[in-house]
């Protein structure tokens, strides 16, 4: 073994350890210690070593998290013991009968202890660990045989590639892979903005992500897991289900223990059910009920199973958030990429406290698949997305007066012909100056996360277009006070404020600008990735497809789209005009000074003077680091109004607490 290889191996091992640690802190404990950028940097170093010594890229290497060469097809995975499903209960009465059935079967009258777990709405998986190493991930399938999805589960940060502490030699863990609501809504919103078809609910999105042959795609989906049981285990298993869940946690697996309750009898189970139902809307993920399990594992064994369901557990479902209403009409929306998507206008209906008057129809194939017609009675569900979902048509209620929904062949706004691209499902308006597209593009450019032009919302953008004041983004920077005076309710002060906000946007970092341009397939995250790799917009605009492809996380679709964007003549002219107007953003991620080197900052509360992102950028620009949670390592906590537990913890640990203005002073002093 050469010395060089030994050194590389040593460095690889250290990096892998650090990455595993930070991965665990972030995904399993929800207590990140470093920023995403720092994590990416460690990963890049590891990938560089593996590039030189491919033998170091073992299945347990953190590099597997990013996905590797696509598979040709899926293989079957037979389960060592069947993956059962659960019988359903719907209320307290059903739970009482469940309890009586068990007592009768066990011939006992004493109270039974139960564990109450949220019933997550995702995809069930079995993960096999041998000597602590993850060797297989499989879907449930028909309960006996599923599909092997090891390549995909390895990309899920909350799934450990190696176990910790006193793990057993052989272990098959079972759990639910799911996606939290916030990332789900964000992803759907992004797809909506980019003119892609949206997903009906987090479960469909999770299932779709796990059914990929190319794990690199799965890696981009923020999936997580909660483990709730086991198949096979070697050695002596814990005596109770609760102790088993604690052991799984100790071995490094994610278990949502915070919401799991133990109940000393069935009455207490019913209280837990009512409490969980109250909590349902506050949870960061979708649940559709509560699973009740007998705690003593010997009793579970004694009770056994009948056909495909265990006698020792039951799912007590929550009422579905669905209602019946009438589809009154369908409106067509034109997005900034020209995608024309159908949205259902519904007769307003109250679904668990929220009035719903429109629903997503996803795409034209879906309309055909569900055979939806105007005038139909339909079932609408609030399924996690901000926009509710149209689940199905109540065909029995058809009168014969319903009218089919025709797929349009012309843009409803500019009337130019629509074209379907390679993806085949979304018809798009090809006219770059279509007013509908322009409006959406402007809205996106001004939005938070992009150029963040405060005060420039829908209403003003609409007026600007109606008054013919702007034809593209560059025109924004040419607006004068006199132009603004043509708007409704525009005073001197407001006009000044708007012009200032527009001018201030010239200083936004490159990543915001790239995102604001609305390049297809380039969302906020990829805009950040691109900005990290190019110092100026000019460098990015001159990048070749190969140069882009060499960047980790950039695939063919994105690189093609970026190249296409910058070679388009209209875009070229627009960027030139913007540069002439003084919008020439560059990458200011590089630390401009190292005065805050090693100092850790935590921002909490509703910040009023700057966004969390801006605060983080200020800290990073001086070599400091922003963290999501307060620990002994934190140096400063910056508090905005409404700060809660993080402030309390900082006080308890005696950490310096700063107001937003104190913080800005500190940053200034350090300059
Ligand atoms: S226990 C024998 N616990 O619900 C035990 N299942 O119809 C079988 N699920 O396929 C499963 N959360 O996908 C269990 N806390 C939980 C669960 C859970 C969700 C799903 C699982 C299963 C289905 C049962």
């Amino acid at each position: 073994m050469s010395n060089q290889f030994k050194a590389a191996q040593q460095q690889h091992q250290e990096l892998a350890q650090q990455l595993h640690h930070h991965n665990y802190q972030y995904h399993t404990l929800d207590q990140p210690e470093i920023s995403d950028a720092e994590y990416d940097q460690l990963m890049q170093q590891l990938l560089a070593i593996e590039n030189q010594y491919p033998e170091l890229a073992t299945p347990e290497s953190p590099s597997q998290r990013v996905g590797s060469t696509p598979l040709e097809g899926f293989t079957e995975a037979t389960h060592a013991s069947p993956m059962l499903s659960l019988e359903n209960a719907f209320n307290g009465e059903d739970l009482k009968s469940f309890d009586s059935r068990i007592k009768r079967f066990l011939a006992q009258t004493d109270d039974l202890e139960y564990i109450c777990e949220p019933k997550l709405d995702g995809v069930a998986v079995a993960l096999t660990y041998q000597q602590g190493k993850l060797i297989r991930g499989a879907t449930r399938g028909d309960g006996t045989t599923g599909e092997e999805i090891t390549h995909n589960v390895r990309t899920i940060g909350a799934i450990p590639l190696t176990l910790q502490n006193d793990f057993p030699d052989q272990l098959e863990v079972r759990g639910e892979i799911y996606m939290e609501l916030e990332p789900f809504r964000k992803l759907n919103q992004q797809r909506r903005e980019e003119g892609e078809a949206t997903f009906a609910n987090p479960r469909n999105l999770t299932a779709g992500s796990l059914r990929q042959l190319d794990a690199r795609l799965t890696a981009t989906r923020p999936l997580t897991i909660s483990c709730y049981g086991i198949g096979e285990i070697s050695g002596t298993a814990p005596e109770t289900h609760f102790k088993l869940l604690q052991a799984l946690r100790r071995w490094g697996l994610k278990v949502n223990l915070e919401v799991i309750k133990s109940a000393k009898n069935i009455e207490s189970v019913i209280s837990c059910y009512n409490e969980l139902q109250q909590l349902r809307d506050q949870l960061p993920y979708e649940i559709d009920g509560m699973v009740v399990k007998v705690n003593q594992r010997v009793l579970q064994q004694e009770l056994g199973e009948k056909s495909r369901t265990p006698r020792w557990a039951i799912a007590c479902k929550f009422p579905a958030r669905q209602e019946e209403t009438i589809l009154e009409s369908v409106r067509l929306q034109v997005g900034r990429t020209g995608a024309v998507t159908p949205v259902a206008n519904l007769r307003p209906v109250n679904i668990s406290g929220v009035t719903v008057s429109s629903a997503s129809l996803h795409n034209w194939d879906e309309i055909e698949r569900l055979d939806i017609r105007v005038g139909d009675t339909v079932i609408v569900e609030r399924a996690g997305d901000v926009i509710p979902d149209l689940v199905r048509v109540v065909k029995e209620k058809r009168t014969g007066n319903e009218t089919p929904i025709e797929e349009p062949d012309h843009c409803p706004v500019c009337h130019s012909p629509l074209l379907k691209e390679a993806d085949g499902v979304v018809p798009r308006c090809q006219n770059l100056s279509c007013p509908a597209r322009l409006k959406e593009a402007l809205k996106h450019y001004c939005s938070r996360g992009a150029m963040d032009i405060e005060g420039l919302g829908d209403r003003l953008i609409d007026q600007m277009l109606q008054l013919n004041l702007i034809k593209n983004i560059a025109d924004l920077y040419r607006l004068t006070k006199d132009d603004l005076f043509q708007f409704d309710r525009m005073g001197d002060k407001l006009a000044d404020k708007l012009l200032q906000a527009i001018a201030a946007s010239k200083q936004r970092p490159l990543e915001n600008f790239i995102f604001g341009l609305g390049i297809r397939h380039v969302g906020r995250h990829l805009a950040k990735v691109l900005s990290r790799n190019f110092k100026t917009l000019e460098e990015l605009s001159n990048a070749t497809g190969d140069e882009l492809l060499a960047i980790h996380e950039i695939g063919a679709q994105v690189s093609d789209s970026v190249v296409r964007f910058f070679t388009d003549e209209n875009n070229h002219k627009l960027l030139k005009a913007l540069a002439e107007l003084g919008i020439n953003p560059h990458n200011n991620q590089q630390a401009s000074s190292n005065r805050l080197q090693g100092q850790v900052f935590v921002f909490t509360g509703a910040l009023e003077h700057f966004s969390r992102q801006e605060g983080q950028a200020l800290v990073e620009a001086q070599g400091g680091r922003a963290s999501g949670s307060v620990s002994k390592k934190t140096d400063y906590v910056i508090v905005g109004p409404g700060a809660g537990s993080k402030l309390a913890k900082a006080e308890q640990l005696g950490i310096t607490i700063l107001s937003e203005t104190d913080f800005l002073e500190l940053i200034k002093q350090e300059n």
Side-chain angles (χ1 to χ4, degrees):
M1 214 191 295
S2 78
N3 280 343
Q4 224 176 358
F5 176 74
K6 262 199 219 154
Q9 196 178 26
Q10 171 77 21
Q11 203 196 349
H12 182 271
Q13 198 184 345
E14 281 167 19
L15 283 165
Q17 245 165 30
Q18 286 184 43
L19 283 160
H20 279 313
H21 169 78
H22 291 301
N23 189 70
Y24 178 70
Q25 290 293 126
Y26 182 91
H27 290 283
T28 310
L29 302 183
D30 198 15
Q31 285 169 3
E33 290 173 348
I34 59 173
S35 68
D36 291 1
E38 285 169 299
Y39 184 88
D40 285 354
Q41 233 170 29
L42 293 173
M43 183 65 93
Q44 290 305 323
Q45 288 176 28
L46 182 101
L47 290 170
I49 299 177
E50 290 186 3
N51 208 1
Q52 205 179 349
Y53 302 103
E55 62 270 44
L56 294 177
T58 61
E60 290 74 43
S61 164
S63 61
Q64 302 309 302
R65 300 274 186 218
V66 298
S68 46
T69 338
L71 301 182
E72 300 271 310
F74 286 107
T75 44
E76 283 192 349
T78 307
H79 303 298
S81 61
M83 287 182 78
L84 304 174
S85 67
L86 294 169
E87 235 175 77
N88 287 333
F90 296 93
N91 49 44
E93 282 311 301
D94 294 347
L95 285 171
K96 279 188 188 155
S97 344
F98 164 72
D99 181 61
S100 318
R101 264 196 321 267
I102 293 186
K103 286 179 178 156
R104 213 175 312 125
F105 193 94
L106 295 173
Q108 76 168 58
T109 50
D110 295 348
D111 278 348
L112 278 160
E113 198 186 345
Y114 292 104
I115 300 301
C116 304
E117 300 171 0
K119 184 168 186 296
L120 288 153
D121 201 8
V123 174
V125 285
L127 307 170
T128 313
Y129 288 88
Q130 255 173 27
Q131 264 74 43
K133 290 182 179 172
L134 174 67
I135 59 150
R136 193 183 86 164
T139 59
R140 178 174 178 275
D142 61 6
T144 311
T145 312
E147 266 172 345
E148 208 209 293
I149 51 161
T150 318
H151 64 303
N152 287 334
V153 298
R154 281 193 209 285
T155 68
I156 300 173
I159 296 182
L161 302 176
T162 49
L163 298 178
Q164 311 172 1
N165 298 319
D166 57 332
F167 59 81
D169 284 351
Q170 307 284 338
L171 176 70
E172 194 202 292
V173 187
R174 290 176 179 179
E176 196 87 350
I177 297 184
Y178 64 98
M179 190 181 284
E180 291 201 341
L181 288 167
E182 199 184 297
F184 166 72
R185 289 178 185 144
K186 261 197 201 151
L187 211 134
N188 250 2
Q189 179 59 23
Q190 191 183 328
R191 289 178 73 90
R192 214 169 273 133
E193 280 169 8
E194 288 174 9
E196 306 290 326
T198 48
F199 290 92
N201 52 50
R203 186 192 51 251
N204 286 9
L205 179 42
T206 305
S209 306
L210 292 175
R211 216 179 293 119
Q212 296 296 327
L213 290 168
D214 188 348
R216 286 170 301 190
L217 193 134
T218 317
T220 66
R221 303 273 168 85
L223 301 176
T224 186
I225 192 171
S226 181
C227 300
Y228 53 64
I230 54 168
E232 307 284 284
I233 188 168
S234 61
T236 39
E239 274 171 27
T240 65
H241 182 66
F242 196 73
K243 284 191 179 146
L244 172 74
L245 295 178
Q246 287 175 317
L248 293 177
R249 187 45 106 82
R250 199 168 63 244
W251 299 332
L253 291 152
K254 187 166 161 257
V255 182
N256 293 1
L257 275 176
E258 311 70 42
V259 274
I260 296 176
K261 298 270 176 305
S262 115
K264 59 183 188 319
N265 53 34
I266 201 69
E267 284 72 30
S268 160
V269 168
I270 296 170
S271 311
C272 286
Y273 174 70
N274 295 331
E275 279 162 26
L276 189 62
Q277 203 165 331
Q278 296 290 317
L279 200 69
R280 185 182 186 189
D281 283 330
Q282 275 134 264
L283 290 176
Y285 41 80
E286 214 32 30
I287 59 174
D288 58 354
M290 186 176 90
V291 182
V292 183
K293 298 174 181 172
V294 169
N295 193 24
Q296 293 297 332
R297 288 177 37 90
V298 275
L299 295 184
Q300 290 184 0
Q301 268 145 27
E302 206 177 321
L303 285 157
E305 66 202 59
K306 52 171 190 193
S307 63
R308 316 299 288 159
T309 58
R311 282 195 193 84
W312 48 269
I314 198 160
C316 197
K317 303 288 284 257
F318 293 145
R321 293 193 266 218
Q322 291 187 342
E323 289 300 335
E324 221 178 77
T325 187
I326 308 286
L327 172 64
E328 293 189 326
S329 59
V330 171
R331 65 177 186 275
L332 301 175
Q333 275 181 348
V334 186
R336 85 185 133 80
T337 62
V340 178
T341 44
V343 179
N345 292 324
L346 305 168
R347 179 171 301 168
V349 60
N350 187 306
I351 310 182
S352 56
V354 175
T355 306
V356 169
S357 54
S358 62
S360 189
L361 291 167
H362 305 294
N363 57 55
W364 300 93
D365 287 2
E366 179 85 348
I367 293 181
E368 202 174 325
R369 190 178 69 79
L370 295 176
D371 183 21
I372 306 171
R373 302 179 193 177
V374 171
D376 264 335
T377 300
V378 291
I379 303 291
V380 181
E381 181 178 33
R382 282 176 55 215
D385 198 356
V386 243
I387 304 178
D389 188 40
L390 202 156
V391 184
R392 66 181 172 89
V393 173
V394 187
K395 296 214 172 124
E396 308 83 83
K397 296 209 174 167
R398 279 208 171 140
T399 59
N401 292 331
E402 296 77 14
T403 47
I405 302 163
E406 298 287 341
E407 185 177 327
D409 48 16
H410 283 82
C411 171
V413 178
C414 74
H415 310 290
S416 55
L418 300 180
L419 243 166
K420 279 192 183 174
E421 290 170 14
D423 60 10
V425 283
V426 183
R428 284 174 207 275
C429 168
Q430 307 290 316
N431 174 10
L432 276 175
S433 35
C434 167
R437 292 186 62 174
L438 180 58
K439 181 174 144 191
E440 293 306 315
L442 280 166
K443 269 169 38 185
H444 176 74
Y445 183 79
C446 300
S447 68
R448 271 179 141 208
M451 299 303 260
D452 196 8
I453 306 184
E454 222 185 304
L456 208 54
D458 280 19
R459 192 176 64 87
L460 290 184
I461 292 175
D462 276 348
Q463 288 194 36
M464 278 179 199
L465 291 169
Q466 272 161 19
L467 292 166
N468 236 340
L469 288 174
I470 48 175
K471 291 199 176 55
N472 56 40
I473 294 169
D475 287 343
L476 269 181
Y477 297 93
R478 299 191 178 105
L479 286 172
T480 63
K481 222 167 165 178
D482 282 340
D483 289 335
L484 296 185
F485 282 146
Q486 299 180 47
F487 292 7
D488 296 343
R489 284 175 283 157
M490 180 63 65
D492 201 46
K493 263 196 183 156
L494 189 55
D496 275 338
K497 234 176 130 182
L498 259 179
L499 290 177
Q500 265 170 25
I502 295 173
S505 74
K506 293 183 180 179
Q507 307 307 326
R508 298 277 177 263
L510 182 60
E511 64 175 88
N512 295 49
F513 185 71
I514 298 174
F515 175 58
L517 287 176
I519 305 170
R520 246 179 102 192
H521 307 299
V522 179
R524 214 173 291 202
H525 177 68
L526 288 183
K528 197 169 189 168
V529 171
L530 288 170
S531 82
R532 260 189 230 141
N533 285 275
F534 299 93
K535 274 197 224 59
T536 60
L537 187 70
E538 197 180 347
E539 270 188 30
L540 171 64
S541 64
N542 290 328
T544 63
D546 284 342
E547 279 166 352
L548 290 162
L549 276 173
I551 301 172
H552 161 61
E553 290 193 82
I554 306 279
Q557 196 184 38
V558 175
S559 97
D560 284 354
S561 168
V562 172
V563 170
R564 209 176 316 125
F565 182 88
F566 287 108
T567 43
D568 179 283
E569 207 180 320
N570 281 317
N571 291 340
H572 195 76
K573 276 193 206 147
L574 177 69
L575 293 175
K576 201 165 154 244
L578 283 168
E580 281 164 11
L581 288 159
I583 300 101
N584 202 352
H586 41 265
N587 180 345
N588 56 8
Q589 294 247 322
Q590 258 75 31
S592 58
S593 91
N594 276 331
R595 305 288 297 272
L596 300 181
Q597 185 72 42
Q599 313 248 36
V600 181
F601 290 73
V602 174
F603 295 90
T604 183
L607 300 170
E608 290 176 325
H609 297 268
F610 44 83
S611 69
R612 213 155 288 243
Q613 225 179 0
E614 283 164 342
Q616 184 172 343
L618 286 170
V619 165
E620 285 176 358
Q622 300 196 22
R625 184 156 75 67
S627 163
S629 61
V630 178
S631 74
K632 274 187 276 183
K633 290 187 195 152
T634 313
D635 295 288
Y636 296 99
V637 174
I638 294 89
V639 294
S645 61
K646 286 184 193 171
L647 171 60
K649 186 152 181 205
E651 280 169 345
Q652 191 194 338
L653 293 173
I655 292 163
T656 311
I657 294 163
L658 301 179
S659 69
E660 288 171 76
T661 32
D662 291 344
F663 167 72
L664 292 172
E665 268 312 297
L666 173 86
I667 292 279
K668 244 200 280 171
Q669 268 176 29
E670 299 278 340
N671 255 325

